[in-house]
Amino acid sequence: MVAVTELNVLEKSQWCPGCGNFALVGALKGALSELGIPQHETVIVSGIGCSSKLPHYVNTYGFESLHGRGLPVASGVKLANNKLTVIDVGGDGDGYGIGSGHFIHIMRRNYDLTYIVHDNQIYGLTTGQASPTSQPGMKTKTTPYGVVETQFNPLAMAITGGATFVARVFAGDAAHMKDVFKQAIAHRGFAIVDVFQPCVTFNKLNTYDFFSKRVYKLETQDPKHDTANKALALEKAFEQVKTDYEKLPIGVFYKEDRPTYEDTIPQIKDKPLVEHSLSGIDISAAYEDME
Ligand code: SF4
Ligand code: MG
């Protein structure tokens, strides 16, 4: 087992006491350690937000990018060296708001990446504005009379958009979260795990108590949830809306095997780009084409 070195998150982090991010980073470290992935072969990329400070608290390579731009940076890292384990982390505002175009198109490509979304249903770092996943009716600084828009459904978007591993977990259940993170990282292809991550400071609706009373695990269902059934996965993704937020399934919704983007590019299929020699490359024909 490879131990992913502890940085003292409690002392060094700028997260509020009680934030769901603490359990999330602990589960991610545990998953990487138990999978035995060496720290020097792991890159954690992020965007901007409370969530995106996470690479500072894990002793792997890290890259804090721009708001909503974690996924293009992560895919660039993967294309440069597809031997690396690459994980992108971000928030709901970051990934489902400004970064939503990247989110949709990265899924079609099926890079071998893991995308973990700290979905606290609010903008935390900017002190409490409604985000794309804010629950209808929730009062925030920007919605004093309650959110009137339809809630963005990341799981439905991922299932229909081409993600090959789609899951959701709750930050109040660390053991389950770690187990699903391990499955997502081990999966070959684009894996998304949306995390119900309570923001204890600005989201007074979707609290630990709120989630604890409503979440249930798909894998304990009888009959067991069939993760290969796309129609069923989609039905489960809409269950929270259909039940007026009374039943919130967590676990693996959908999974499929499909060749990754890297596997279909002959230049990098067997040898990462970083290992190619730069000598003897003649690009004059490309210039001549442009004349
Ligand atoms: Fe966590 Fe919310 Fe505080 Fe951000 S503002 S650190 S999400 S509790
Ligand atoms: Mg957020």
Side-chain angles (χ1 to χ4, degrees):
M1 184 184 293
V2 179
V4 174
T5 309
E6 287 289 327
L7 296 181
N8 195 332
V9 182
L10 278 172
E11 265 177 30
K12 299 206 169 135
S13 97
Q14 296 176 338
W15 290 331
C16 310
C19 176
N21 288 340
F22 289 103
L24 196 157
V25 73
L28 181 58
K29 284 178 180 177
L32 287 167
S33 290
E34 288 180 23
L35 288 169
I37 300 172
Q39 289 161 263
H40 70 281
E41 291 176 9
T42 305
V43 184
I44 303 181
V45 179
S46 67
I48 294 291
C50 293
S51 53
S52 292
K53 294 174 184 169
L54 185 144
H56 297 263
Y57 312 134
V58 183
N59 207 359
T60 62
Y61 285 104
F63 192 124
E64 188 173 2
S65 70
L66 299 173
H67 199 208
R69 310 301 168 203
L71 284 174
V73 172
S75 53
V77 172
K78 193 73 193 182
L79 284 179
N81 187 351
N82 53 317
K83 277 188 181 166
L84 297 172
T85 295
V86 184
I87 298 165
D88 183 42
V89 297
D92 43 308
D94 177 84
Y96 303 151
I98 193 168
S100 56
H102 299 303
F103 174 51
I104 290 166
H105 291 287
I106 205 162
M107 293 189 288
R108 298 190 296 117
R109 295 181 194 130
N110 200 32
Y111 293 114
D112 184 20
L113 291 176
T114 305
Y115 183 33
I116 296 174
V117 184
H118 305 222
D119 189 354
N120 54 15
Q121 299 165 256
I122 199 146
Y123 283 90
L125 189 68
T126 49
T127 73
Q129 298 79 18
S131 86
T133 53
S134 292
Q135 199 170 310
M138 185 164 83
K139 292 184 177 169
T140 71
K141 280 184 180 166
T142 46
T143 56
Y145 302 107
V147 170
V148 294
E149 293 135 307
T150 299
Q151 190 182 36
F152 182 82
N153 190 322
L155 301 187
M157 186 66 78
I159 292 160
T160 53
T164 50
F165 183 100
V166 180
R168 171 172 268 157
V169 293
F170 167 41
D173 187 341
H176 182 249
M177 179 162 52
K178 182 181 73 176
D179 178 57
V180 174
F181 284 171
K182 279 172 74 177
Q183 294 181 56
I185 295 166
H187 172 77
R188 271 191 63 76
F190 185 81
I192 174 170
V193 185
D194 184 85
V195 183
F196 283 141
Q197 173 252 310
C199 168
V200 293
T201 304
F202 295 110
N203 189 335
K204 301 297 183 190
L205 174 64
N206 309 114
T207 60
Y208 285 101
D209 192 47
F210 173 93
F211 288 120
S212 298
K213 286 182 178 144
R214 291 168 172 83
V215 296
Y216 74 91
K217 293 187 182 114
L218 283 171
E219 56 267 37
T220 60
Q221 288 297 281
D222 186 17
K224 202 165 172 239
H225 176 66
D226 177 6
T227 56
N229 186 333
K230 208 169 207 174
L232 181 62
L234 206 49
E235 197 179 301
K236 288 289 172 193
F238 281 107
E239 189 166 302
Q240 65 179 59
V241 180
K242 272 204 233 147
T243 62
D244 200 18
Y245 302 92
E246 285 307 315
K247 286 182 81 182
L248 309 176
I250 56 172
V252 181
F253 284 61
Y254 181 67
K255 204 165 53 168
E256 74 170 270
D257 286 326
R258 202 173 78 226
T260 66
Y261 188 86
E262 306 89 277
D263 286 343
T264 54
I265 303 293
Q267 291 86 345
I268 59 171
K269 185 173 178 290
D270 300 313
K271 188 163 151 182
L273 204 54
V274 288
E275 291 177 14
H276 286 251
S277 166
L278 289 177
S279 63
I281 297 175
D282 181 3
I283 57 168
S284 52
Y287 277 110
E288 279 159 22
D289 254 9
M290 288 188 276
E291 279 175 3

